[in-house]
Amino acid sequence: MEIIKLLNALPGACAQGLIWGIMAIGVYITYKILDLADLTVDGTMCTGGAVCIVMMLKGYPVGAALICAFIAGMLAGLVTGVLHTMMGIPAILAGILTQLGLYSINLRIMDNKSNQAISVDKYDLMVSLRFIKGVPFYKNTLFIVAIVIVVLIGILYWFFGTELGCAIRSTGSNEKMACAQGINTNFCKILGLMISNGIVAFASGLYAQYQGFADVNAGRGAIVIGLAAVIIGEVVFGKISSNFGIRLFSVALGAIIYYVVLQIVLWLGLNSNDLKLLSAIVVAIFLAIPVMMEKWNTKRAYTEGGNR
């Protein structure tokens, strides 16, 4: 009986993981490609949902609402980029400042309410918790979000193969060498932050529809979930291929694994109040695994070399 409850909950966990997988792809751009610690996402993970839900409540179609959510996220990334590159504020602090300011802006967007709900019965939502079971496959949340991820990865794979995309990757890989090659690294950082936060806000718009409301605290701890997905994907699937597209897919799969593990742990009886602690522990473990494996391999190679 308990197993049946777990199996019934897994589709919802997978759907939630896919949506957060989109968010994690945004985190991957700053964390892995640009090599920046961007905490703006804790703010934009609320901003996108707030913009999307409020626009739909005012009668705008879901497509327009999601596009505006993406643009709002890009503007937040622009602010962080300007604070970091033009004002010399460290990236992590610039992200914190933008995130702090977004809290008040998000409240303004939601008409000074901490929560804005939307009914799946009255509005034409793109995804919803109600669309997991008992609906045609083309309306199923899992199917729709999977298609969104495939399209998003395709676009990013193309973009980061262009001259501008390669310039962004070069900036994150070796900023001094990129400067020596005539690349405007400040512009690349700003653009990378804008793309990242735009994707996060887009995911936030989907997530707000999925759960049926936008909440001013929706983004709290989002960076931890994003990093967990990136690290889990890298540890579990990182050695399969070095292809950029495969790495993006691994991030999305990492988010699914993260939420499935959480669902299993809850099923085993963990207090839901301990989820944040569990998230921190999971991220710490997966961050430590590559380092510990490298140390172990180095020690083994040294030992084998000494024995010869």
Side-chain angles (χ1 to χ4, degrees):
M1 190 66 179
E2 294 296 324
I3 294 291
I4 294 175
K5 288 183 180 179
L6 175 62
L7 294 176
N8 287 333
L10 286 181
C14 290
Q16 199 168 350
L18 281 171
I19 294 173
W20 281 91
I22 297 173
M23 179 268 182
I25 289 174
V27 172
Y28 181 88
I29 292 173
T30 51
Y31 180 63
K32 285 295 182 179
I33 297 178
L34 274 179
D35 195 26
L36 291 177
D38 179 32
L39 297 183
T40 314
V41 296
D42 275 19
T44 48
M45 194 58 197
C46 171
T47 303
V51 170
C52 181
I53 296 302
V54 169
M55 286 193 67
M56 291 188 70
L57 289 174
K58 291 184 180 296
Y60 290 92
V62 63
L66 285 171
I67 290 172
C68 288
F70 179 79
I71 294 172
M74 291 190 74
L75 291 174
L78 173 63
V79 172
T80 300
V82 169
L83 289 174
H84 173 53
T85 59
M86 297 184 180
M87 299 186 182
I89 300 174
I92 190 168
L93 182 55
I96 292 173
L97 292 173
T98 305
Q99 173 201 138
L100 184 64
L102 281 175
Y103 185 87
S104 296
I105 293 173
N106 294 336
L107 282 173
R108 290 293 186 93
I109 292 172
M110 294 193 291
D111 196 24
N112 293 317
K113 298 177 182 177
S114 61
N115 187 291
Q116 284 280 11
I118 191 167
S119 173
V120 66
D121 298 318
K122 295 181 180 179
Y123 295 89
D124 187 20
L125 304 184
M126 186 174 178
V127 296
S128 172
L129 183 59
R130 296 253 298 268
F131 297 163
I132 299 294
K133 298 177 182 179
V135 295
F137 79 93
Y138 55 86
K139 286 188 177 181
N140 189 286
T141 295
L142 285 165
F143 175 76
I144 291 175
V145 179
I147 294 298
V148 170
I149 287 180
V150 170
V151 172
L152 175 62
I153 290 176
I155 293 172
L156 291 175
Y157 185 82
W158 165 80
F159 173 75
F160 282 103
T162 64
E163 184 176 348
L164 180 56
C166 288
I168 294 175
R169 295 169 72 175
S170 298
T171 299
S173 179
N174 191 325
E175 185 176 351
K176 291 182 178 180
M177 181 61 71
C179 282
Q181 296 297 320
I183 295 173
N184 187 337
T185 55
N186 284 344
F187 173 77
C188 288
K189 287 181 181 180
I190 292 173
L191 182 58
L193 286 165
M194 290 176 69
I195 294 172
S196 170
N197 284 281
I199 292 172
V200 171
F202 181 84
S204 174
L206 290 175
Y207 187 60
Q209 292 179 59
Y210 175 78
Q211 61 185 358
F213 63 89
D215 190 276
V216 73
N217 293 313
R220 184 172 294 176
I223 185 63
V224 176
I225 299 175
L227 287 175
V230 171
I231 300 304
I232 291 172
E234 189 175 61
V235 171
V236 177
F237 306 103
K239 293 185 178 181
I240 294 177
S241 174
S242 60
N243 181 273
F244 181 69
I246 299 298
R247 288 186 178 275
L248 293 179
F249 270 116
S250 72
V251 171
L253 292 174
I256 295 174
I257 292 173
Y258 174 82
Y259 270 96
V260 169
V261 169
L262 286 188
Q263 192 63 54
I264 293 173
V265 171
L266 286 173
W267 172 71
L268 291 173
L270 177 76
N271 190 323
S272 59
N273 293 328
D274 296 331
L275 279 180
K276 295 293 184 183
L277 175 61
L278 176 65
S279 299
I281 293 172
V282 168
V283 174
I285 290 173
F286 277 93
L287 279 171
I289 286 174
V291 177
M292 299 304 294
M293 288 182 64
E294 184 178 350
K295 287 183 177 179
W296 185 79
N297 289 332
T298 302
K299 184 177 180 179
R300 187 179 66 174
Y302 177 79
T303 304
E304 291 177 353
N307 292 334
R308 291 174 186 174

